């Protein structure tokens, strides 16, 4: 761990939290406004990259012991599974459905199957981006 980057490490702890919260907001806002799984995944990856810049690779791997290739596989299962799910209802591939529900804290809310697809995209983007970054970082 680098000891001379105390200010960077302190700011990174707060900034990472804010970036991840905003990426989750962008993820869920993506159905009605610009955003979604791709942009949310890139923002989450940028938060992890900020951790890599402030700390070293071993420290970040200890904090986030995630197998990013497995994350890519799970994301692909979500994305492809959502797309093929429509075929079971005799609808074209990637046809999404939604329904309105009255939820306790949220009120009259629409729930979409597109959220599952975006979750897959979110996980794939994080997995691929971090695999590339860590591969570059380990070779140096």
């Amino acid at each position: 761990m680098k000891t001379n980057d105390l200010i960077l490490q302190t700011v990174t702890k707060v900034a990472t939290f804010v970036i991840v919260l905003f990426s989750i907001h962008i993820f869920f806002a993506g159905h009605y406004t610009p955003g979604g799984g791709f942009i949310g995944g890139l923002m989450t990856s940028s938060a992890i990259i900020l951790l890599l810049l402030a700390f070293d690779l071993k420290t970040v791997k200890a904090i986030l012991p995630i197998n990013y290739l497995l994350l890519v596989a799970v994301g692909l299962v979500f994305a492809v599974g959502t797309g093929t799910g429509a075929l079971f209802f005799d609808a074209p591939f990637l046809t999404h459905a939604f329904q309105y529900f009255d939820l306790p804290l949220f009120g009259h809310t629409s729930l979409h199957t597109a959220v599952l697809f975006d979750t897959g995209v979110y996980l794939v983007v994080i997995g691929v981006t971090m695999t590339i970054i860590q591969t570059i970082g380990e070779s140096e």
Side-chain angles (χ1 to χ4, degrees):
M1 185 164 110
K2 302 174 195 172
T3 56
N4 58 352
D5 296 332
L6 184 62
I7 295 173
L8 176 63
Q9 290 173 355
T10 305
V11 170
T12 296
K13 292 174 187 176
V14 175
T16 300
F17 180 71
V18 171
I19 293 170
V20 169
L21 282 180
F22 190 63
S23 75
I24 291 170
H25 168 73
I26 291 292
F27 171 80
F28 283 113
H31 302 296
Y32 300 110
T33 59
F38 186 77
I39 301 301
L42 285 178
M43 288 185 66
T44 302
S45 296
S46 69
I48 299 170
I49 292 168
L50 182 61
L51 284 173
L52 286 171
L53 291 173
F55 301 95
D56 58 350
L57 188 60
K58 290 179 184 177
T59 305
V60 175
K61 279 188 175 182
I63 295 169
L64 298 171
I66 299 171
N67 181 353
Y68 292 110
L69 292 177
L70 182 63
L71 197 66
V72 171
V74 170
L76 285 173
V77 167
F78 267 82
V80 174
T82 304
T84 57
L87 298 175
F88 292 115
F89 297 101
D90 203 25
F93 182 71
L94 282 178
T95 300
H96 294 287
F98 68 95
Q99 189 65 271
Y100 288 95
F101 295 95
D102 289 316
L103 299 176
L105 292 174
F106 300 105
H108 194 67
T109 306
S110 64
L111 297 177
H112 299 253
T113 58
V115 173
L116 296 175
F117 179 78
D118 272 349
T119 301
V121 172
Y122 182 82
L123 295 176
V124 168
V125 168
I126 293 171
V128 168
T129 305
M130 293 313 301
T131 300
I132 292 170
I133 295 296
Q134 282 189 346
T135 302
I136 292 171
E138 288 174 347
S139 66
E140 291 181 356

